């Protein structure tokens, strides 16, 4: 991004420490009150037990271990009847913020070919990576090994839906990666449409390419050490994220409930709901922050169609997100729907005596208060991407 734009966003970065400190306490000759000390100790203990799991697992400099318990994400089939599909989708969205799709149109062969092409990108020299994939926030080559944060390890590429290369002097052969990106984008748009129907808001994206954009995030996964810190690398806001499961492996994700470990089925597509989906739903659905992280040290299955080994794989994540000039706001339902069962909604009975039957004379108009203020997507994305806010949910500042 141009330097002028960077300066424009610098004022959004908060100062991590205050400029003043409290004065030292005044010495007292009186004996301490043991009752007050006990009460203070009890209050502090209760406060510490109320700290969310994400706070205890995300302090900078602390090495994080994968969760001990691994679960299987809820299974959802797109071939189910709409009523069943929407019911299962709503349940998974409200309870977890992630699920796995079955009976989707993406072939295993295409996913393996795209993975092989992605591995060839990492085999390029450092100079070629920077030349063919220059940084243009958030696109381009990102070398996290140069970062000062020891919780961030590895390299990644962020590509647009065309998986374009800056220079045509070298043919990288990304045909399968482009096709996989296209198919996962279509699947993501279908998920957004079904989610909108299930939750009860109007889909603001549709199939209008000017209302959304897709980012293919390719990250290396080194399976050598189980003691490596968990990290999803650079964070970026999104509506839904999709990961095709080429082989059996575990992932760690930072959900609203804290770090969770999941093991999706092979050939399924794991779907994560992002912060934009949570705002659109007015807080009805849970979210996953960042991209799923393959758990280090797991043994992966390798077959003749894959160039992945148990020491080096790549993780392909398609993020369906928004253009920079978008405004993010809660999409409140206009009429009673499946989402009307939440406790934060109020049904108001309007009496209309116009000679109609009693069945039609009383209409229920749904009134719902927004849980989030509207905000600029570009400002929010810039802050989340550069601050890597793992310690605190970045949406907190926009809550009403």
């Amino acid at each position: 991004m141009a330097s002028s734009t960077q300066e424009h966003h610098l004022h959004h970065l908060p100062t991590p420490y205050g400029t003043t400190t409290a004065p030292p306490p005044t010495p007292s000759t009186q004996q301490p009150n043991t009752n007050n000390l006990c009460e203070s100790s009890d209050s502090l203990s209760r406060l510490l037990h109320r700290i969310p799991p994400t706070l205890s697992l995300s302090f900078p400099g602390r090495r994080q271990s994968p969760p001990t318990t691994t679960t299987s994400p809820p299974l959802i089939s797109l071939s189910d009847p709409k009523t069943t599909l929407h019911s299962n989708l709503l349940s998974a969205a409200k309870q977890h913020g992630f699920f796995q799709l079955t009976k989707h149109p993406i072939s295993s062969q295409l996913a393996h070919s795209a993975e092989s092409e992605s591995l060839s990108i990492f085999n390029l020299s450092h100079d070629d990576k920077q030349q063919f994939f220059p940084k243009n926030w958030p696109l381009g080559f990102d070398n996290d090994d140069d970062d000062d944060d020891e919780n961030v390890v590895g390299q990644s590429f962020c590509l647009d839906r065309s998986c374009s290369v800056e220079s045509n002097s070298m043919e990288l052969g990304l045909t399968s990666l482009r096709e996989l990106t296209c198919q996962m984008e279509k699947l993501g748009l279908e998920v957004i449409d079904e989610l909108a129907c299930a939750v009860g808001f109007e889909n603001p994206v549709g199939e209008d390419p000017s209302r959304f954009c897709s980012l293919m995030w390719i990250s290396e996964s080194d399976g050598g050490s189980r003691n490596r810190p968990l990290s999803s690398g650079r964070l970026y806001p999104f509506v839904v994220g999709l990961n095709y499961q080429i082989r059996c492996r575990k992932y760690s994700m930072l959900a609203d409930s804290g770090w969770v470990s999941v093991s999706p089925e092979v050939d399924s597509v794991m779907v994560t709901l992002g912060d934009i989906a949570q705002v659109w739903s007015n807080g009805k659905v849970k979210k996953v922050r960042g991209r799923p992280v393959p758990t280090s040290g797991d043994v992966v299955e390798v077959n003749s169609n894959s160039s992945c080994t148990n020491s080096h794989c790549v993780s392909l994540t398609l993020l369906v997100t928004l253009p920079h000039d978008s405004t993010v706001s809660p999409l409140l339902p206009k009429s009673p729907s499946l989402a009307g069962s939440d406790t934060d909604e109020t049904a108001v009975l309007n009496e209309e005596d116009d000679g109609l039957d009693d069945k039609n004379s009383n209409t229920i108009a749904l009134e719902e208060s927004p849980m989030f203020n509207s905000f600029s997507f570009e400002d929010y994305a810039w802050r989340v991407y550069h601050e890597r806010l793992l310690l605190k949910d970045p949406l907190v500042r926009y809550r009403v």
Side-chain angles (χ1 to χ4, degrees):
M1 173 167 288
S3 58
S4 59
T5 307
Q6 293 177 354
E7 294 176 357
H8 169 72
H9 289 87
L10 287 179
H11 71 278
H12 294 285
L13 304 181
T15 302
Y17 305 104
T19 57
T20 59
T21 57
T26 303
S28 174
T29 58
Q30 299 179 355
Q31 295 294 327
N33 189 324
T34 57
N35 292 332
N36 292 339
L37 291 176
C38 291
E39 292 178 359
S40 300
S41 178
D42 292 341
S43 299
L44 178 60
S45 178
R46 288 193 299 269
L47 175 62
L48 293 176
H49 279 84
R50 292 177 61 185
I51 295 179
T54 53
L55 291 181
S56 62
L57 290 170
S58 300
F59 285 107
R62 174 178 295 181
R63 289 191 175 275
Q64 307 164 3
S65 300
T68 57
T69 303
T70 301
T71 61
S72 179
L75 274 171
I76 294 180
S77 174
L78 293 176
S79 63
D80 285 342
K82 291 296 184 181
T83 54
T84 303
L85 172 61
H86 292 167
S87 176
N88 294 338
L89 187 58
L90 182 64
S91 176
K94 296 179 70 173
Q95 294 181 28
H96 305 284
F98 56 87
F99 50 88
Q100 53 183 327
L101 288 176
T102 61
K103 297 183 179 180
H104 52 76
I106 302 177
S107 69
S108 175
Q109 181 180 1
L110 176 62
H112 278 282
S113 298
E115 181 187 61
S116 298
E117 294 176 356
S118 300
L119 281 170
S120 68
I121 300 178
F122 286 96
N123 291 332
L124 296 173
S125 67
H126 188 274
D127 291 339
D128 285 342
K129 292 174 183 176
Q130 292 182 325
Q131 177 184 354
F132 298 136
F133 305 96
K135 285 293 294 180
N136 183 21
W137 175 77
L139 302 175
F141 168 61
D142 188 28
N143 186 12
D144 286 327
D145 289 330
D146 298 334
D147 200 282
D148 293 334
D149 187 355
E150 69 173 25
N151 280 350
V152 180
V153 181
Q155 300 177 345
S156 64
F157 297 85
C158 181
L159 310 180
D160 58 17
R161 60 163 59 96
S162 65
C163 299
S164 59
V165 180
E166 185 71 14
S167 175
N168 295 325
S169 61
M170 179 176 179
E171 179 59 42
L172 295 179
L174 304 181
T175 304
S176 296
L177 183 60
R178 294 188 183 96
E179 179 61 24
L180 179 64
T181 301
C182 180
Q183 291 196 19
M184 292 182 71
E185 179 186 271
K186 292 180 180 179
L187 185 59
L189 293 177
E190 183 178 357
V191 170
I192 293 176
D193 190 57
E194 299 295 354
L195 179 67
C197 293
V199 178
F201 61 85
E202 185 176 352
N203 182 3
V205 171
E207 297 183 357
D208 186 349
S210 66
R211 296 186 178 183
F212 70 92
C213 64
S214 297
L215 302 177
M216 174 59 79
W217 228 292
I218 309 172
S219 305
E220 66 176 351
S221 173
D222 183 358
S225 172
R226 289 181 179 272
N227 295 323
R228 284 183 59 187
L230 290 175
S231 173
S232 57
R234 296 284 185 178
L235 304 184
Y236 196 81
F238 62 96
V239 184
V240 296
L242 297 91
N243 293 77
Y244 186 95
Q245 302 309 299
I246 297 179
R247 59 187 56 82
C248 181
R249 70 184 314 176
K250 298 178 182 179
Y251 290 85
S252 294
M253 300 185 298
L254 182 55
D256 281 337
S257 58
W259 283 103
V260 296
S261 178
V262 297
S263 180
E265 294 183 359
V266 176
D267 293 333
S268 69
V269 174
M270 185 168 63
V271 178
T272 53
L273 304 182
D275 34 11
I276 305 304
Q278 187 173 64
V279 174
W280 280 357
S281 70
N282 200 31
K284 295 181 180 66
V285 306
K286 292 187 177 180
K287 67 177 180 301
V288 171
R289 292 156 60 187
R291 305 182 302 282
V293 185
T295 302
S296 299
D298 284 334
V299 177
V300 299
E301 300 175 359
V302 182
N303 54 42
S304 58
N305 296 325
S306 175
S307 59
C308 178
T309 68
N310 62 353
S311 62
H312 189 207
C313 288
V314 294
S315 177
L316 306 177
T317 304
L318 191 283
L319 300 182
V320 180
T321 182
L322 302 179
H324 283 169
D325 59 355
S326 303
T327 299
V328 184
S329 304
L331 304 177
L332 305 181
K334 298 181 180 179
S335 60
S337 63
L338 190 59
S341 61
D342 282 15
T343 57
D344 62 329
E345 298 170 356
T346 304
V348 180
L349 186 64
N350 295 328
E351 300 289 346
E352 294 183 1
D353 186 9
D354 54 0
L356 300 178
D357 295 336
D358 292 339
K359 180 179 179 180
N360 298 326
S361 60
N362 296 332
T363 61
I364 298 179
L366 188 67
E367 291 185 356
E368 182 178 352
S369 300
M371 294 183 58
F372 299 93
N373 292 311
S374 300
F375 56 88
S376 164
F377 177 81
E378 182 177 12
D379 289 345
Y380 176 70
W382 178 269
R383 186 171 62 88
V384 170
Y385 182 88
H386 289 89
E387 291 184 357
R388 305 184 186 186
L389 300 175
L390 287 178
L391 183 62
K392 183 178 180 181
D393 186 348
L395 284 179
V396 169
R397 66 162 56 185
Y398 301 106
R399 285 188 173 272
V400 176

